Amino acid sequence: MSEKTGGPSMTERLEAALVEEIATGQIAPGERLDESVLAQRFGMSRTPVREALNRLVAQGILVPGEKRGVRVAEYTHEELAQIFEAMHEIEAVCAQLAAKRLSLLSRARIETAQAGCLAAAEQGDIPAYLRANEALHMAIYDATENPFIKQMATEFRRRTGPFRAKKFRTKADLIASAQSHMPLIEKIFSTDSHGADAIMRSHMTESFLQVLAANG
Amino acid sequence: MSEKTGGPSMTERLEAALVEEIATGQIAPGERLDESVLAQRFGMSRTPVREALNRLVAQGILVPGEKRGVRVAEYTHEELAQIFEAMHEIEAVCAQLAAKRLSLLSRARIETAQAGCLAAAEQGDIPAYLRANEALHMAIYDATENPFIKQMATEFRRRTGPFRAKKFRTKADLIASAQSHMPLIEKIFSTDSHGADAIMRSHMTESFLQVLAANG
DNA sequence: AACTCATATTTTGCATGCAAAATCAATAAA
DNA sequence: TTTATTGATTTTGCATGCAAAATATGAGTT
């Protein structure tokens, strides 16, 4: 009786495809997206393409081009600093709330995700690490028990995705990253919300500098 | 030679109109929005209506209806608590950053806005107070010097608009609200970021309870 | 009255077409 | 060589139409 009505529409499929391609860098920041080209490439008319592009613009993943069309959001160094600051501030809030509200379930999810990070790092498997890292962050966002804050954090994560991805080049990068999670997780597990917030903040500058280095 | 090309499109006009009508409560939370009806009402075809609705859905102002169409976002008490928590957390971040970075210009803007609040409150002019209050918040968001954080805060403000509006019924409400800004502004002006954050937080529960009371 | 099942109606998602606006290209003038 | 100007071309924004999905309606059955 209660089947989730309706399969994915063309609009939704395109939207998902674009999010994916942008996140993985297949479509680079600054690149222009042409309605008709996309329509042809995905075998649909311009109408659903437009809808998908509109949604992505609303999410800040795409921006209206200076002259025409839309392009993948691209930031100056200053803007990059600002967007990372915003993301880190939200993540600090998340860490704080997670520590304050930690449930057994949340704790288990965070532990599992962190184990996944360590495993992927040990194997030097970058794509696996990216996924595991993502899962860890989501687990922390979930632990806030606030879906609105989670959504906000997730959106910023999407927007910064293309830039963060470049940070990870070697196995050493992965291991360093996975290790750096530990103090934060410990603070969350000991329900030290102030400490969790402080640690998150202390990582901000460092983390941003790495991003900047990786993105010229 | 650098005129901002292009006037507002039909899509943009409808979007703005709907944001306005929803913010002021003319269209109530839960109400269903029909494409064809809107198209007729605003003298345009369904295409631009759809685009506008899509954007508003992406902003969380509208949500996809259970059966069909879209409706104005409506929240349970629990969700209301969550969304206000999210907004307040962001505002706390804003207050902190504003205090940390306060420029002369920002200070002047905040002062002007607060003067406007007091004036409107004295006169018991509710619409004017709402506008002035909005301006004050925007001035504080601007003072963060971070457009991304400002945008995020603004979006939450929009989403909570319909619920906050009901808080103000009498002149006394306005005066109380305007007065309650003072300690926060003082902390910001004395660049006491920790204090600003603390004050913002201390207002959270109180503010939310008022909203809840006003919204059944 | 409650439950099917079939049929009518509404609503959606998408394709297509077109006119206006914006951009580009090419030529002419300074 | 730069600067205007004009015309060609692309791109956009929107209207319209239609088929399929979703929903409401209603008759017939238990």
Side-chain angles (χ1 to χ4, degrees):
Chain A
M1 268 295 274
S2 58
E3 209 55 332
K4 196 164 286 170
T5 39
S9 64
M10 319 229 85
T11 299
E12 282 160 355
R13 264 180 287 155
L14 176 60
E15 186 184 353
L18 288 179
V19 164
E20 177 65 17
E21 294 195 8
I22 291 169
T24 63
Q26 289 183 253
I27 306 181
E31 196 164 323
R32 174 156 176 275
L33 264 44
D34 186 274
E35 287 180 8
S36 339
V37 172
L38 285 173
Q40 271 207 282
R41 181 146 100 72
F42 287 85
M44 59 182 72
S45 85
R46 276 177 50 228
T47 308
V49 172
R50 274 170 134 263
E51 295 208 348
L53 295 184
N54 258 307
R55 292 186 193 184
L56 295 177
V57 168
Q59 290 174 50
I61 296 176
L62 302 180
V63 295
E66 323 236 318
K67 316 214 138 181
R68 66 180 141 193
V70 298
R71 32 186 70 245
V72 179
E74 187 181 36
Y75 305 106
T76 64
H77 283 181
E78 193 188 354
E79 289 170 325
L80 216 49
Q82 291 168 341
I83 198 170
F84 272 87
E85 175 179 67
M87 184 180 76
H88 284 129
E89 289 288 352
I90 297 171
E91 296 207 321
V93 167
C94 288
Q96 229 180 310
L97 290 175
K100 213 176 282 179
R101 298 185 179 155
L102 191 73
S103 69
L104 281 178
L105 177 59
S106 296
R107 183 185 173 114
R109 285 206 275 233
I110 291 172
E111 267 169 354
T112 306
Q114 171 65 355
C117 285
L118 288 169
E122 280 307 323
Q123 296 185 249
D125 184 340
I126 293 183
Y129 183 78
L130 289 176
R131 278 194 300 279
N133 191 35
E134 201 69 9
L136 173 60
H137 280 266
M138 291 302 145
I140 293 175
Y141 299 164
D142 272 325
T144 64
E145 311 282 355
N146 187 319
F148 297 94
I149 290 179
K150 177 184 177 181
Q151 195 201 343
M152 175 169 56
T154 304
E155 275 174 22
F156 268 98
R157 211 131 226 286
R158 276 204 184 154
R159 292 172 74 169
T160 57
F163 308 98
R164 281 183 292 105
K166 295 189 188 168
K167 249 178 44 176
F168 302 113
R169 296 248 174 250
T170 69
K171 178 174 170 180
D173 292 337
L174 304 187
I175 292 180
S177 170
Q179 292 297 343
S180 77
H181 296 152
M182 297 304 294
L184 173 66
I185 293 177
E186 271 171 35
K187 290 294 180 188
I188 293 178
F189 282 4
S190 61
T191 68
D192 175 0
S193 67
H194 185 66
D197 179 84
I199 294 220
M200 207 56 153
R201 277 167 198 288
S202 76
H203 281 318
M204 281 182 45
T205 309
E206 181 191 359
S207 162
F208 173 62
L209 289 179
Q210 288 170 7
V211 168
L212 204 57
N215 288 278
Chain B
M1 279 295 89
S2 58
E3 208 58 329
K4 195 162 286 171
T5 38
S9 63
M10 319 227 86
T11 299
E12 282 160 356
R13 262 180 290 155
L14 176 59
E15 186 184 353
L18 288 179
V19 164
E20 177 65 17
E21 294 195 9
I22 292 170
T24 64
Q26 289 183 253
I27 307 180
E31 196 164 321
R32 174 155 177 273
L33 264 44
D34 187 274
E35 287 180 7
S36 339
V37 172
L38 286 174
Q40 271 206 283
R41 181 145 99 74
F42 286 84
M44 59 183 73
S45 84
R46 276 178 50 230
T47 309
V49 172
R50 269 168 141 265
E51 295 209 348
L53 294 185
N54 259 308
R55 292 186 195 184
L56 295 177
V57 168
Q59 290 174 50
I61 295 177
L62 302 180
V63 296
E66 324 236 319
K67 315 213 139 178
R68 66 180 141 192
V70 298
R71 30 184 75 242
V72 179
E74 188 181 36
Y75 304 107
T76 64
H77 282 181
E78 193 187 355
E79 289 170 326
L80 216 49
Q82 291 167 341
I83 197 169
F84 272 86
E85 174 178 70
M87 184 181 76
H88 284 129
E89 289 288 351
I90 297 172
E91 295 206 322
V93 166
C94 288
Q96 228 179 311
L97 290 175
K100 215 176 281 180
R101 297 187 181 154
L102 191 73
S103 68
L104 282 178
L105 178 58
S106 296
R107 184 186 171 113
R109 285 206 276 233
I110 291 173
E111 266 169 356
T112 305
Q114 171 64 357
C117 285
L118 288 170
E122 280 307 323
Q123 296 185 249
D125 184 341
I126 295 183
Y129 183 79
L130 288 176
R131 278 194 301 278
N133 192 35
E134 201 69 9
L136 173 61
H137 280 268
M138 290 303 146
I140 294 174
Y141 299 165
D142 271 326
T144 64
E145 310 283 354
N146 187 321
F148 296 95
I149 290 180
K150 177 185 177 180
Q151 195 202 343
M152 177 168 54
T154 304
E155 275 174 21
F156 268 97
R157 209 129 227 286
R158 278 204 183 156
R159 294 174 72 171
T160 56
F163 308 98
R164 280 183 294 105
K166 296 190 188 168
K167 248 178 44 173
F168 302 113
R169 296 249 174 249
T170 69
K171 179 174 170 180
D173 291 338
L174 304 187
I175 291 180
S177 170
Q179 290 298 344
S180 78
H181 296 151
M182 296 304 294
L184 173 65
I185 293 177
E186 270 171 36
K187 290 295 181 188
I188 294 179
F189 283 3
S190 62
T191 67
D192 176 359
S193 67
H194 186 65
D197 179 82
I199 293 220
M200 206 59 158
R201 273 166 202 289
S202 75
H203 282 318
M204 280 182 46
T205 308
E206 181 191 358
S207 162
F208 173 64
L209 288 179
Q210 287 170 7
V211 167
L212 204 57
N215 288 276

